[in-house]
Amino acid sequence: MLKKRIKQGCALGLALTLTFSGVVLSKVYAANAVKTNEKCTIQVCLKNSSFTELTGLDALPIEVSLYKVADIDEAGNYTALAEYETLDFSVIDEEVTQKEWNALADAVKEKITEDETIADVTKETEKGEAIMDELETGLYLIDVKQAISDEYI
């Protein structure tokens, strides 16, 4: 059950990465261009979760890894990095569904596993939180390693 929640969290993390770069709103509402020259921050937080299954995880050091999979241009269009060129990022638009996000996240995770790709950033949570900053603007997969404790496997 927890592994499923973590997998869903990875897919959700991939989706939330868009929020940090302001991509979805810029494409939907034609707001200002994406500032591709600015650094970004991604925060993973296990504290105060509405999921009762995650209660107590904030006390565990959990490894969080980020994999940059695509660059983004000022218009909000993604270009896959060389190692992910076989994946289809064209589904990412203002109408992308959760099912499509999950499929894309699964495809990226499978590619990372097959190629034994090294994460761009890896950090352990402290007090239920991991903050990765000074990141290049783009699309990242957030991979959370399985938590093992007396209560969770």
Side-chain angles (χ1 to χ4, degrees):
M1 179 71 171
L2 180 61
K3 188 172 184 178
K4 182 178 177 183
R5 289 278 188 208
I6 290 175
K7 185 176 180 181
Q8 288 173 341
C10 289
L12 180 61
L14 184 61
L16 290 176
T17 302
L18 289 175
T19 307
F20 290 107
S21 64
V23 173
V24 172
L25 293 177
S26 66
K27 288 179 78 175
V28 174
Y29 298 107
N32 295 333
V34 176
K35 297 177 182 175
T36 58
N37 59 339
E38 291 188 8
K39 299 293 184 179
C40 298
T41 299
I42 295 178
Q43 177 180 8
V44 176
C45 185
L46 302 172
K47 299 184 287 187
N48 304 321
S49 173
S50 60
F51 296 108
T52 56
E53 296 89 356
L54 299 180
T55 303
L57 287 181
D58 56 344
L60 298 174
I62 298 173
E63 186 177 298
V64 179
S65 299
L66 297 182
Y67 298 85
K68 185 174 182 185
V69 297
D71 286 319
I72 186 169
D73 64 21
E74 291 180 352
N77 301 310
Y78 289 100
T79 304
L81 298 182
E83 53 269 48
Y84 305 102
E85 286 179 339
T86 58
L87 302 176
D88 182 17
F89 292 102
S90 67
V91 299
I92 303 173
D93 61 18
E94 62 274 3
E95 296 178 10
V96 66
T97 65
Q98 182 66 43
K99 185 177 180 179
E100 291 169 320
W101 271 122
N102 289 343
L104 185 57
D106 289 344
V108 171
K109 178 69 175 166
E110 185 177 315
K111 181 89 171 125
I112 287 168
T113 302
E114 283 176 8
D115 296 348
E116 298 180 358
T117 305
I118 297 172
D120 293 292
V121 179
T122 299
K123 193 167 190 174
E124 280 192 351
T125 58
E126 294 179 26
K127 298 180 183 175
E129 188 173 71
I131 300 173
M132 284 82 40
D133 53 11
E134 295 297 313
L135 301 171
E136 299 292 326
T137 304
L139 183 65
Y140 290 82
L141 174 76
I142 301 172
D143 184 32
V144 180
K145 299 298 179 209
Q146 185 174 4
I148 299 175
S149 75
D150 293 337
E151 292 83 20
Y152 304 103
I153 296 179

